[in-house]
Amino acid sequence: MDLWKLLLTLAVAGSSDALSGSDDTPAILGRASQSLQRVNPDLETNSSGKPKFTKCRSPELETFSCHWTDGVHHSLKSPGFVQLFYNRRSTQEWTQEWKECPDYVSAGENSCYFNSSYTSIWIPYCIKLTSNGGTVDQKCFSVEEIVQPDPPIGLNWTLLNISLTGIHADIQVRWEPPPNADVQKGWIVLEYELQYKEINETQWRMMDPVLSTSVPVYSLRLDKEYEVRVRSRQRNSEKYGEFSEVLYVTLPQMSPLACEEDFQFPWVLIIVFGIFGLTVILFLFIFSKQQRIKMLILPPVPVPKIKGIDPDLFKEGKLEEVNTILAIHDNYKPEFYNDDSWVEFIELDIDDLDEKTEGSDTDRLLSSDHQKSLNILGAKDDDSGRTSCYEPDILETDFNASDVGDGTSEVAQPQRLKGEADLLCLDMKNQNNPSSNDATPATQEPGIILAEENKSRPLLIGGIESTHQAAHTQLSNPSSLANIDFYAQVSDITPAGSVVLSPGQKNKAGISQCDIHPEVVSFCQANFITDNAYFCEADAKKCIAAAPHVEIESRVEPRLNQEDIYITTESLTTTAGRSGTAEEGPSSELPVPDYTSIHIVQSPQGLVLNATALPLSDKEFLSSCGYVSTDQLNKIMP
Amino acid sequence: MDSKGLSLKAGSLPLLLLLVSNLLLCKSVASLPVCPSGAANCQVSLRDLFDRAVILSHYIHNLSSEMFNEFDKRYAQGKGFFTKTINSCHTSSLPTPDDKEQAQQTKHEDLLNLVLTVLRSWNDPLYHLVAEMRGLQEAPDTILSRAIEIEEQNKQLLEGMEKIVGQVQPGVKENEVYSVWSGLPSLQMADEDTRLFAFYNLLHCLRRDSNKIDNYLKLLKCRLIYNNNC
């Protein structure tokens, strides 16, 4: 029965880890009884008072010590002389003799200390405790199984950082490995476990084991005190050593002022968002389709316009109607021309083929033209903010602006270029409607005046399909534009019947063009010498001639300065003659001289030139038909 | 000539910078052992080899400890196996140092060779352990998987150790000494208890030897790489 009891205790002993002993048994004992004498103090009641092993431990894998308890001395017997004997298997076999403990003192009372000379690792040991010669306890183990390091030393902490809220802080806890553990040579490798808690707490908080000798502890509250302790164990072992001394962590108290929790009214945010919201609303209004609101917020800048003229008429190209309306307005009449009387005395020569085509125009002009029923539609008189195509600045700078078509119906006053621009614009419209060659003003006087204008225009244009060319020729003669406005004064009538116009007003020679076509422009531009203030009609003709090819409006960009330019009678004629022919080349025409002698010096402002022709190559003197510079003159005259 | 010299200098400076940067890069890259298996002339630093070897040995010891504990719990309860562990391990005859002084007095070449010997000695037993464990009735997967893993890792550790020896002792070609294991018949005994005890003993020896190897390697690492200043 003892055997069974022993076996039972063995079974329990195997599962308990109170005693970390190996399973080695001394061979001698094994052979003797096939029973192990492993006493488990837990099971065995200590009432008998026998000494028992409590713990065997090696702190650094170099030495080890074993401790036992004295038996409870409730028995009358004295405890007896306790001895410890050990045995180790140095070779394959167990030695037969048991050796006594070499040191009963160093490890304290009831202990046996084995120093390094007596310690061998990876070798099974068996110890037995005897009392009065009788074995009371026995144990077997290997030293590497009973390693339990000493506690770390030298704990200290440093502040890592404090959170922005001033409530929490992080610290770094450092320590030194136990001094007897030879970590430096790598004989033993330790890992550490840190535990901390608030002072008045009961539960320790554990951190994961670390191999290093320092570890950060995060998120400690600043107004609390903490306790920290560390313990170590050999890596791969299960048993920890004792805890180190407790380290008290007192964190610096933050001043209460630092934590400002006042609520400040976020003025800046309100202002910013207010502005943003207002901007959004403003943009909504601006870009919304609500015209009325738009008017309120962004009142349109009124542009000059003529009452009763509907800009839509321009768009549709119904220039006759517009002209009619314009003619109706008596307001403008007195301003257009200085002298009314001459209007009635104009004779128009319509011999030329071209002029015949124009004749229709002149007919229209002369006869108080009501043929073409100009549906003077109810011109809306709204002051919508549509830009006119002949605002002065636009005229001067760049008439390319597409507002030409969108110009108001307002006819420019003679002082302004607007009329001409308008005229040009009208011409533009005319092109779209070839049928309606020219806008025919219906009124008498203005009609006649316009007739002049129209005559000059068609003359220039030559009644070519693209009437625009004439318009552009007119463009090319800024003087005509500048000076003529809508009406021009005829200064003289040539024997041929051509009309010589004189400049009306001295205006800026900003020439506006409607619908410029760059191709023609470039062609025309190349021929002009910029330094020459005068503009050769031949050049203009060239421009015109080029146009039919392209079937676009010729664009003659005037390179004129702010000087008056005259149209020679010859030029007028020749231009007329050229109408209808798509030919280029001035040679086929009446040769317009590249230079002309001065016929009349009319005024400081103008010259009338003779049409005497000295046929010379045009190219050199293209730009000098009206005026010969001294250089060119020298060239011509050797 | 001056301009030429200057231009040469200017030209060589970026080259020099490139060279230096390359060296630094090489150094940082060299910290990672990037030798593909089978590469002939691959040279990994000794430090990396030792780091890897220590990791492996530690891992193997962990596995063997766990395996032993599990086997003990599973099969050896109440069987009194520890009573019979008279048998020493087949590697007990090897002259391995048994305490710190002895280990410190052992030259590193000898220690390395001892490690190699022990590792080689375990090739065969591990193979048979895995083979026989499959036949063990109700073998828990954890024990079997660990055994398989230990076998694999042991081979790798052996490879690594041979590389280390090749670097530390270049040119020395030693006979492949190892202890022969003769415990196979015991593993194949018909008697269940005997068989289980054979397993138990083997696992116990494995745990002990893996602990030895782990300790030796850590000692060598601190001695050779960190100059006794781990």
Side-chain angles (χ1 to χ4, degrees):
Chain A
M1 292 305 110
D2 269 359
L3 187 64
W4 287 114
K5 199 179 174 185
L6 277 168
L7 286 173
L8 190 65
T9 37
L10 281 174
V12 181
S15 57
S16 94
D17 45 7
L19 294 171
S20 60
S22 77
D23 302 316
D24 291 338
T25 55
I28 190 171
L29 291 170
R31 276 187 234 122
S33 60
Q34 283 284 329
S35 65
L36 183 69
Q37 290 188 28
R38 174 177 289 215
V39 180
N40 186 0
D42 292 335
L43 267 190
E44 189 88 6
T45 55
N46 209 7
S47 56
S48 60
K50 286 183 190 170
K52 272 187 277 298
F53 284 118
T54 51
K55 185 170 77 173
C56 283
R57 169 178 170 256
S58 170
E60 76 287 76
L61 209 62
E62 293 170 46
T63 67
F64 73 99
S65 58
C66 285
H67 303 261
W68 64 87
T69 57
D70 266 345
V72 177
H73 302 290
H74 57 262
S75 67
L76 294 170
K77 284 194 231 172
S78 63
F81 184 54
V82 176
Q83 282 178 308
L84 186 143
F85 291 95
Y86 73 93
N87 196 358
R88 69 174 175 188
R89 193 185 65 218
S90 54
T91 59
Q92 290 269 14
E93 294 178 358
W94 286 100
T95 57
Q96 291 291 338
E97 55 187 63
W98 290 83
K99 294 175 208 151
E100 198 173 353
C101 168
D103 189 343
Y104 283 104
V105 177
S106 304
E109 203 176 331
N110 296 334
S111 71
C112 183
Y113 174 73
F114 294 83
N115 60 18
S116 52
S117 59
Y118 290 96
T119 311
S120 300
I121 323 295
W122 304 298
I123 285 176
Y125 277 80
C126 277
I127 54 171
K128 69 175 181 181
L129 206 62
T130 62
S131 171
N132 296 332
T135 305
V136 291
D137 199 359
Q138 195 161 354
K139 203 174 144 157
C140 292
F141 55 86
S142 280
V143 177
E144 75 271 12
E145 295 163 6
I146 57 167
V147 177
Q148 267 181 289
D150 284 341
I153 58 164
L155 268 78
N156 62 7
W157 66 276
T158 51
L159 187 68
L160 279 179
N161 54 35
I162 296 176
S163 70
L164 289 171
T165 56
I167 299 174
H168 297 281
D170 308 327
I171 62 170
Q172 184 90 3
V173 183
R174 285 194 182 80
W175 59 87
E176 294 295 315
N180 52 11
D182 195 352
V183 192
Q184 292 227 332
K185 294 205 182 71
W187 181 245
I188 185 171
V189 178
L190 296 174
E191 67 180 6
Y192 308 92
E193 186 199 57
L194 185 139
Q195 294 184 358
Y196 69 100
K197 73 173 177 70
E198 287 177 35
I199 281 185
N200 48 10
E201 274 182 344
T202 53
Q203 275 288 80
W204 286 90
R205 293 184 232 183
M206 281 178 253
M207 295 183 64
D208 291 334
V210 292
L211 288 175
S212 58
T213 58
S214 74
V215 78
V217 183
Y218 296 116
S219 208
L220 298 180
R221 288 184 62 96
L222 278 172
D223 53 350
K224 302 260 164 74
E225 274 194 28
Y226 288 87
E227 296 175 332
V228 174
R229 61 183 189 181
V230 187
R231 61 180 180 175
S232 63
R233 71 172 175 190
Q234 192 196 21
R235 229 170 135 202
N236 293 346
S237 295
E238 291 170 358
K239 285 211 173 74
Y240 275 104
E242 291 298 317
F243 276 106
S244 65
E245 288 180 2
V246 171
L247 175 75
Y248 290 96
V249 177
T250 309
L251 295 158
Q253 292 291 327
M254 293 299 292
S255 65
L257 293 175
C259 188
E260 213 178 75
E261 295 190 0
D262 297 339
F263 177 71
Q264 287 176 348
F265 204 65
W267 287 112
V268 179
L269 273 176
I270 286 171
I271 289 166
V272 166
F273 277 112
I275 290 168
F276 181 69
L278 285 172
T279 316
V280 166
I281 293 166
L282 196 69
F283 273 117
L284 276 174
F285 278 142
I286 288 167
F287 294 118
S288 72
K289 301 292 181 185
Q290 296 276 351
Q291 292 295 329
R292 300 184 79 184
I293 301 171
K294 213 171 168 179
M295 297 307 154
L296 278 173
I297 294 174
L298 293 177
V301 177
V303 292
K305 73 177 195 79
I306 301 170
K307 273 192 184 175
I309 300 289
D310 182 13
D312 291 338
L313 291 177
F314 288 129
K315 287 179 192 166
E316 294 160 13
K318 299 197 177 131
L319 284 171
E320 307 93 10
E321 292 140 11
V322 177
N323 285 336
T324 317
I325 295 167
L326 288 173
I328 290 172
H329 289 278
D330 291 324
N331 301 336
Y332 299 108
K333 274 191 290 183
E335 302 167 1
F336 283 153
Y337 45 89
N338 302 326
D339 189 8
D340 292 345
S341 56
W342 57 268
V343 173
E344 299 169 356
F345 300 108
I346 292 169
E347 282 181 18
L348 299 175
D349 190 357
I350 53 176
D351 288 340
D352 281 351
L353 192 67
D354 302 334
E355 289 179 1
K356 277 186 188 155
T357 57
E358 302 142 16
S360 61
D361 295 326
T362 35
D363 287 343
R364 276 184 287 164
L365 284 171
L366 291 175
S367 65
S368 63
D369 180 49
H370 296 295
Q371 298 168 2
K372 311 228 169 163
S373 59
L374 305 170
N375 294 325
I376 302 172
L377 305 173
K380 287 183 270 183
D381 181 28
D382 55 333
D383 271 323
S384 69
R386 281 169 280 193
T387 55
S388 113
C389 65
Y390 32 80
E391 285 178 343
D393 41 348
I394 295 178
L395 278 177
E396 289 156 25
T397 55
D398 185 10
F399 202 73
N400 284 342
S402 55
D403 341 55
V404 167
D406 196 20
T408 64
S409 55
E410 191 178 29
V411 176
Q413 293 163 14
Q415 291 83 5
R416 303 161 137 203
L417 292 169
K418 287 189 184 174
E420 289 158 7
D422 188 17
L423 179 66
L424 299 170
C425 295
L426 293 180
D427 288 337
M428 301 305 302
K429 306 295 181 352
N430 276 340
Q431 171 146 40
N432 295 334
N433 297 330
S435 57
S436 61
N437 249 347
D438 302 306
T440 55
T443 56
Q444 299 262 354
E445 294 181 344
I448 297 170
I449 296 170
L450 272 175
E452 295 303 323
E453 186 63 19
N454 286 342
K455 173 103 197 241
S456 62
R457 238 184 28 229
L459 284 176
L460 293 170
I461 292 171
I464 312 172
E465 309 86 60
S466 53
T467 52
H468 289 276
Q469 296 156 6
H472 290 297
T473 338
Q474 232 178 357
L475 283 172
S476 70
N477 297 314
S479 67
S480 62
L481 294 175
N483 305 325
I484 293 173
D485 292 331
F486 216 95
Y487 307 94
Q489 182 176 9
V490 178
S491 60
D492 197 5
I493 300 175
T494 63
S498 309
V499 174
V500 176
L501 302 172
S502 67
Q505 311 276 340
K506 188 161 187 185
N507 290 323
K508 301 169 195 170
I511 300 305
S512 50
Q513 299 117 358
C514 309
D515 279 350
I516 293 106
H517 294 267
E519 301 87 352
V520 182
V521 175
S522 55
F523 171 81
C524 294
Q525 278 179 354
N527 295 331
F528 296 137
I529 298 178
T530 53
D531 59 352
N532 202 315
Y534 286 85
F535 204 86
C536 181
E537 190 58 17
D539 302 331
K541 276 190 290 181
K542 277 202 175 124
C543 290
I544 298 162
H549 289 290
V550 190
E551 278 202 336
I552 48 176
E553 304 153 352
S554 61
R555 176 188 179 180
V556 175
E557 189 166 54
R559 306 298 210 95
L560 304 166
N561 301 337
Q562 315 246 348
E563 291 182 34
D564 303 332
I565 302 176
Y566 288 68
I567 307 172
T568 64
T569 56
E570 304 305 336
S571 57
L572 285 174
T573 322
T574 51
T575 319
R578 287 188 60 193
S579 65
T581 61
E583 287 178 17
E584 240 192 317
S587 56
S588 59
E589 315 296 321
L590 258 178
V592 177
D594 294 321
Y595 61 96
T596 326
S597 61
I598 299 172
H599 175 59
I600 302 171
V601 180
Q602 189 87 349
S603 69
Q605 295 170 341
L607 299 169
V608 175
L609 305 168
N610 278 337
T612 53
L614 271 183
L616 289 173
S617 74
D618 297 339
K619 288 178 186 165
E620 296 174 20
F621 306 103
L622 275 178
S623 58
S624 62
C625 71
Y627 175 78
V628 183
S629 64
T630 46
D631 298 335
Q632 287 158 340
L633 197 62
N634 292 336
K635 283 182 206 168
I636 298 167
M637 308 289 195
Chain B
M1 279 303 139
D2 272 354
S3 62
K4 240 187 181 177
L6 279 172
S7 67
L8 272 175
K9 270 192 181 174
S12 65
L13 183 64
L15 202 63
L16 190 67
L17 284 172
L18 190 68
L19 194 67
V20 170
S21 68
N22 269 344
L23 285 172
L24 291 171
L25 278 172
C26 284
K27 197 175 179 191
S28 66
V29 165
S31 65
L32 302 167
V34 291
C35 275
S37 58
N41 292 332
C42 191
Q43 194 76 359
V44 185
S45 77
L46 195 66
R47 171 192 288 247
D48 299 327
L49 286 172
F50 260 109
D51 285 341
R52 176 112 178 103
V54 166
I55 289 168
L56 277 176
S57 66
H58 185 85
Y59 182 46
I60 291 169
H61 177 62
N62 262 351
L63 287 172
S64 58
S65 279
E66 287 166 8
M67 192 165 66
F68 175 78
N69 290 336
E70 274 207 43
F71 187 90
D72 191 25
K73 255 193 296 186
R74 178 76 179 76
Y75 294 103
Q77 290 304 312
K79 294 212 165 109
F81 284 151
F82 37 81
T83 69
K84 295 180 204 164
T85 53
I86 333 161
N87 308 348
S88 57
C89 304
H90 66 288
T91 53
S92 299
S93 58
L94 294 171
T96 52
D98 283 328
D99 61 18
K100 191 174 117 183
E101 280 92 21
Q102 283 184 28
Q104 280 186 317
Q105 282 158 18
T106 313
K107 285 188 267 185
H108 60 270
E109 302 98 349
D110 300 332
L111 207 51
L112 282 170
N113 285 327
L114 275 171
V115 168
L116 274 176
T117 309
V118 172
L119 287 173
R120 285 193 202 111
S121 305
W122 275 99
N123 269 337
D124 197 37
L126 281 172
Y127 170 77
H128 289 292
L129 178 72
V130 170
E132 297 304 319
M133 202 166 253
R134 287 187 210 271
L136 206 61
Q137 60 181 11
E138 301 165 6
D141 283 336
T142 48
I143 294 178
L144 186 60
S145 64
R146 285 199 175 96
I148 294 167
E149 184 73 6
I150 288 172
E151 191 200 355
E152 175 62 33
Q153 297 301 326
N154 196 66
K155 284 192 191 131
Q156 291 206 12
L157 183 58
L158 188 59
E159 261 187 55
M161 289 312 300
E162 279 169 353
K163 280 206 185 93
I164 289 175
V165 170
Q167 278 201 22
V168 170
Q169 293 179 276
V172 175
K173 198 71 181 170
E174 203 179 284
N175 303 334
E176 292 203 358
V177 182
Y178 65 96
S179 283
V180 180
W181 177 67
S182 54
L184 184 57
S186 335
L187 282 182
Q188 292 165 332
M189 292 285 258
D191 179 31
E192 187 70 19
D193 275 357
T194 321
R195 200 152 152 252
L196 283 176
F197 177 70
F199 274 108
Y200 184 90
N201 200 36
L202 194 61
L203 293 177
H204 182 258
C205 288
L206 180 63
R207 185 179 77 160
R208 198 193 69 164
D209 281 350
S210 60
N211 190 264
K212 255 192 200 177
I213 290 167
D214 189 37
N215 228 339
Y216 294 156
L217 286 179
K218 282 170 181 164
L219 195 73
L220 279 173
K221 184 178 108 167
C222 285
R223 193 199 290 186
L224 295 178
I225 308 295
Y226 294 96
N227 219 10
N228 280 335
N229 195 19
C230 273

